[in-house]
Amino acid sequence: MRYRKTLGATTWTFDSLAQVMAKASPLRSGDMLAGIAAGSAQENVAARMVLADTPLTAFLAEPLIPYELDDVTRLICDTHDEAAFRPVAALTVGGFRDWLLSEAATSEALAALARGLTPEMAAAVSKLMRNQDLILAASRCRVTTRFRDTIGLPGTLAVRLQPNHPTDDLAGITASILDGLMYGCGDAVIGINPASDSLGVIGDLLRLTDDLIRRFEIPTQSCVLTHVTSALQLIERGAPVDLIFQSIAGTEAANASFGVTLALLQEGLEAGRSLKRGTLGDNVMYFETGQGSALSAGAHHGIDQQTLEARAYGVARAFEPLLVNSVVGFIGPEYLYDGKQIIRAGLEDHFCGKLLGAPLGVDVCYTNHAEADQDDMDTLLTLLATAGVTFVMGVPGADDVMLNYQSTSFHDALYVRELLGLKRAPEFEAWLARWQITRSDGRLAPARAGHALLEGFS
C-alpha cells in the first residue's frame, strides 16, 4: 500500500508502512547506514504526519515483515490479544499518542493494554513523541517481576552488579562483588560477562556467585551471561544456574545470527524453571538487546532499527523474563552516533519496552569511539530514573575493564537514588539494613573497619 502527503508544492510518496516508519524516525546513523532514513527534515515531517493519521489496526493488516517469512512476525501476530486491544482499536497513531498522555492512561489501564499492543504500534507512537512525552508515558507503566526479590515496584530502582574481569579471575570478581554490595548495588542481579566460553570457567563463576548468595543469604540472583545452549549444558552438569541469559533481536534472521531460535528460548525457559531456584517467583530469563543488532547482522529487512528493537521486546515478553536490558550505546557510533542519539534511543527503548509489558532496564553506556561522554550518560541516567526505569548497571568506576566500554558506576546509582528518593528492591533493602550497610533511611552507613560483611568475605 502506498502512502502520500502533500506539503506545499511537494507530494511525498511512501511505498509501504515500513517506509513510513523508517522515514518518520528521529535521525540516527544506523538508519542512514542502511539507506532508509529520511533524506530531509521535510520528508521526515511528511512521514510523521502520515504516521499520525495511520490507524493502529493498519499494523495488524500490514505486517512490516511478512508472516510467512519471519517467526518473530508470527509470534507477534499469533499472541496478539484482541480483547486487550479493544479500548484503543479505533485510534490512529496520533490519537494513541494523545491517549497515552491523557489522564485515561493510568498504570492499571496501561498494564491491561500491554498484550493488546504489537511492537510496531509502540514503535510508531514513539516516533511522534518528544522526549518529555516518552518520559511521562513510561513513568506510568509498571512491570513487576520476581525471582528471589521483587523488581519493578513503584518508587524503586534496581542495579545489576556487573563485576567483570578480563581474565575471569575469581578473586578479582569477588572483590568487585563486595565493592558493589557495600555500595548497596546488586538487587537486580549479580551478572558476569565471562571472558571465556569454557564451560569449566563458567561453572566456576556460577559456583562462586551461588556460594556468596547462599552464605550471606542475599536476596538476589546471579547470572553468567553465556549462550543459552551453554546454560542448558551447565544445567545438565548440575551447575547452580539462576537465570538463563540470551541476546535477542527483532527478526528471525537476526536471532539466527546469535545462534538462537524461539524454540531454543522456550527450552531454556523450561529448563530454568525446572530447577525451582526462585524463592518468590519463576521469572528465570534475562535478555539483552540493542538498536542496530539486526542491521549489523544484515537481517533488518529494510526496517528501521528502533522498530526492530521494539520487536525484540515482543520476543522477550513472550518468555516472561525477570530482566530485559537495552545495552543502548554499546554497538557503537555506526548505529547511534553521538550523545543526542543515544539519549533519544534510551528513552525510546525504555518507553516501548515498558508499554509492551517488558521489565526494561537500560545499560546507560557508550563506546570510546562514539561522540559521547559521561555527561551525556548523566543526562540519560537522570531522565530514565525519572521515567521509572526498572534497573541500570553498576560497574566499578563505570569503566568495564573486560568489555572496554563506559557505563554507570555504583556511585551513579547512589546519586540518582538520593536525587529522586528511589528505593532498592524491598527484600534487598531489608538485607542491607540487617548487615548495617545502610541506615534506616536507606542511605549508606558510614564505612568502618571490621564490618561483618568485609570479615565474611575475607
Side-chain angles (χ1 to χ4, degrees):
M1 178 177 175
R2 286 195 164 187
Y3 299 80
R4 290 184 174 86
K5 186 66 181 181
T6 299
L7 295 178
T10 303
T11 297
W12 300 94
T13 301
F14 307 98
D15 293 334
S16 65
L17 187 53
Q19 190 175 84
V20 172
M21 292 278 279
K23 303 293 187 182
S25 290
L27 187 66
R28 63 205 56 200
S29 53
D31 292 339
M32 295 176 68
L33 180 66
I36 60 174
S40 65
Q42 291 86 349
E43 186 179 22
N44 175 256
V45 169
R48 294 179 71 191
M49 293 178 74
V50 168
L51 188 59
D53 292 336
T54 300
L56 289 177
T57 52
F59 294 98
L60 300 174
E62 187 181 342
L64 302 191
I65 303 174
Y67 184 92
E68 62 276 8
L69 297 183
D70 185 84
D71 64 0
V72 175
T73 298
R74 293 193 290 274
L75 174 69
I76 291 167
C77 294
D78 294 348
T79 59
H80 180 249
D81 188 330
E82 292 184 10
F85 178 57
R86 201 166 293 132
V88 299
L91 298 179
T92 62
V93 176
F96 185 40
R97 173 193 174 273
D98 293 342
W99 182 87
L100 285 169
L101 300 176
S102 74
E103 293 182 358
T106 62
S107 296
E108 294 75 17
L110 290 166
L113 178 64
R115 293 283 175 170
L117 297 175
T118 68
E120 291 84 353
M121 295 174 190
V125 74
S126 76
K127 297 177 192 300
L128 305 182
M129 300 172 85
R130 291 171 57 186
N131 285 1
Q132 66 175 252
D133 300 337
L134 296 172
I135 293 167
L136 177 61
S139 73
R140 299 171 175 173
C141 298
R142 284 294 161 191
V143 182
T144 304
T145 57
R146 294 176 176 86
F147 190 76
R148 292 198 188 99
D149 58 357
T150 307
I151 308 296
L153 291 172
T156 65
L157 170 69
V159 175
R160 170 189 160 187
L161 203 173
Q162 184 169 309
N164 296 344
H165 192 279
T167 63
D168 292 329
D169 179 75
L170 298 183
I173 288 170
T174 301
S176 292
I177 292 173
L178 175 59
D179 190 23
L181 291 174
M182 293 300 292
Y183 277 105
C185 295
D187 47 345
V189 64
I190 299 173
I192 305 169
N193 296 90
S196 171
D197 292 329
S198 163
L199 293 182
V201 170
I202 295 168
D204 288 342
L205 295 174
L206 287 168
R207 284 183 285 273
L208 168 69
T209 51
D210 180 63
D211 175 68
L212 294 175
I213 288 171
R214 287 189 297 105
R215 185 164 20 127
F216 297 102
E217 299 179 327
I218 309 172
T220 190
Q221 36 285 325
S222 70
C223 185
V224 177
L225 280 64
T226 187
H227 195 271
V228 62
T229 53
S230 297
L232 290 170
Q233 293 179 65
L234 288 159
I235 288 173
E236 291 177 355
R237 296 182 180 187
V241 176
D242 286 345
L243 304 185
I244 308 294
F245 169 79
Q246 184 56 52
S247 294
I248 57 172
T251 71
E252 180 178 357
N255 283 323
S257 75
F258 291 141
V260 68
T261 63
L262 300 183
L264 184 58
L265 294 178
Q266 182 64 32
E267 185 179 351
L269 172 64
E270 293 171 0
R273 285 182 169 170
S274 72
L275 300 178
K276 301 185 185 301
R277 293 177 58 83
T279 54
L280 296 183
D282 63 355
N283 298 118
V284 300
M285 303 299 284
Y286 175 17
F287 295 121
E288 287 194 344
T289 67
Q291 288 195 28
S293 58
L295 176 58
S296 68
H300 61 101
H301 296 272
I303 311 298
D304 69 273
Q305 66 184 40
Q306 188 259 330
T307 297
L308 292 180
E309 176 71 2
R311 281 169 58 98
Y313 305 147
V315 173
R317 74 176 175 182
F319 299 95
E320 301 178 347
L322 180 75
L323 307 165
V324 181
N325 178 29
S326 166
V327 193
V328 65
F330 183 75
I331 302 181
E334 299 84 359
Y335 307 97
L336 295 170
Y337 178 72
D338 57 13
K340 180 180 176 65
Q341 292 188 13
I342 293 171
I343 289 168
R344 173 69 190 190
L347 295 176
E348 289 170 346
D349 293 353
H350 178 249
F351 163 77
C352 288
K354 295 292 271 299
L355 186 64
L356 293 168
L360 228 293
V362 177
D363 189 344
V364 179
C365 65
Y366 64 102
T367 58
N368 288 314
H369 62 308
E371 291 294 322
D373 59 28
Q374 212 65 35
D375 286 338
D376 294 317
M377 299 307 103
D378 287 350
T379 299
L380 179 54
L381 172 64
T382 306
L383 295 176
L384 285 168
T386 304
V389 69
T390 303
F391 69 102
V392 295
M393 303 298 109
V395 178
D399 185 358
D400 192 297
V401 295
M402 195 281 282
L403 293 174
N404 293 310
Y405 79 117
Q406 309 303 312
S407 185
T408 48
S409 70
F410 305 143
H411 302 77
D412 294 331
L414 289 176
Y415 144 72
V416 80
R417 281 172 169 157
E418 180 172 349
L419 176 70
L420 300 175
L422 298 171
K423 303 294 185 181
R424 302 165 182 87
E427 301 84 358
F428 193 81
E429 192 91 73
W431 179 83
L432 292 172
R434 284 198 306 273
W435 280 86
Q436 299 182 336
I437 297 171
T438 57
R439 305 179 305 198
S440 59
D441 61 2
R443 295 188 177 187
L444 290 185
R448 57 182 174 81
H451 189 283
L453 192 64
L454 295 174
E455 294 296 321
F457 266 66
S458 63

